[in-house]
Amino acid sequence: MSDATDKINEVVDTVRDKINEFAASDSVHDAVNTVRDKIDEFAASDTVQGAVDTAKEKFGEIAENEKVQEAVAVAREKAGEFKDRLGGSGSH
């Protein structure tokens, strides 16, 4: 039985070594660096920056909207009432 276990361990060690060799290879490191560079270029592009700025503006408009403010106030009020009920200080 130990002979079979030894062979399995040997195969596992060989596979682990091959994976480590692959991960440490220059071609893998070069590919990772290329992908990083491309992601950085994409994130820095004017189109992406413009989209981010537009999204920020729209979220700001939504957050400042009177109806949204009212809804948030009502939600806070209801959450406070619910908290009071759970705490036992409200009437049943």
Side-chain angles (χ1 to χ4, degrees):
M1 187 76 158
S2 86
D3 194 35
T5 303
D6 290 343
K7 287 186 181 197
I8 290 171
N9 287 336
E10 185 178 325
V11 168
V12 169
D13 289 342
T14 301
V15 169
R16 184 182 309 126
D17 290 345
K18 293 295 180 186
I19 290 172
N20 287 336
E21 287 175 22
F22 175 73
S25 72
D26 288 341
S27 60
V28 170
H29 284 283
D30 290 345
V32 169
N33 288 333
T34 299
V35 169
R36 283 183 182 153
D37 291 345
K38 294 296 179 187
I39 290 172
D40 288 343
E41 287 174 23
F42 176 73
S45 75
D46 290 341
T47 303
V48 171
Q49 291 300 314
V52 168
D53 291 342
T54 300
K56 285 180 182 177
E57 287 175 23
K58 293 299 178 189
F59 281 123
E61 290 172 14
I62 291 169
E64 292 171 4
N65 180 286
E66 186 176 328
K67 290 183 180 181
V68 172
Q69 292 293 329
E70 290 172 8
V72 169
V74 170
R76 284 185 177 149
E77 182 180 321
K78 295 296 180 187
E81 291 172 10
F82 185 68
K83 180 181 171 187
D84 289 344
R85 286 187 192 146
L86 288 177
S89 63
S91 60
H92 293 5

